[in-house]
Amino acid sequence: MAVNAMEQIMSDLLFEYKQALQMSCTCDECLNDVLALVLNRVQPRYVTDAGKIAYVKAEFIDKQQMTTLIVKLAESAKMVSDMPRCRRGEE
């Protein structure tokens, strides 16, 4: 089975930086919207099983590459914060 390693990596980053992103709403729907947006903006990296995600993660030890991922995550979070699709956004 092929697994997109970037899904786990970006999910981990979203959890780690959730407070720093200062989103207007952090409900599950909004967080999933952020994750979907950012995954569409990064190149997928497939591995044959979840145990090999660490090999892909090791490539992002380079600070510039990690910074690029965090910037894309922040941009996606801002887009969702500006126009949330959850019930809170309907108020």
Side-chain angles (χ1 to χ4, degrees):
M1 171 184 228
V3 177
N4 182 2
M6 293 309 292
E7 187 171 344
Q8 184 62 50
I9 291 168
M10 294 312 300
S11 180
D12 290 348
L13 283 176
L14 178 58
F15 179 75
E16 182 179 343
Y17 288 95
K18 184 169 77 169
Q19 298 300 340
L21 294 171
Q22 299 178 349
M23 295 177 58
S24 59
C25 180
T26 57
C27 73
D28 287 343
E29 186 174 354
C30 286
L31 292 177
N32 285 332
D33 284 346
V34 171
L35 187 57
L37 277 173
V38 76
L39 286 172
N40 282 316
R41 300 183 71 210
V42 297
Q43 181 178 0
R45 301 293 308 270
Y46 289 96
V47 294
T48 55
D49 66 59
K52 295 180 181 176
I53 291 174
Y55 294 108
V56 176
K57 211 177 229 186
E59 294 177 20
F60 292 100
I61 290 176
D62 175 53
K63 289 183 187 223
Q64 182 59 45
Q65 287 183 335
M66 183 58 74
T67 300
T68 300
L69 292 182
I70 294 168
V71 166
K72 288 181 181 183
L73 180 65
E75 291 169 349
S76 298
K78 180 167 179 8
M79 288 169 55
V80 171
S81 282
D82 289 347
M83 294 180 22
R85 297 181 328 128
C86 67
R87 289 200 178 272
R88 184 168 185 243
E90 295 171 1
E91 295 173 351

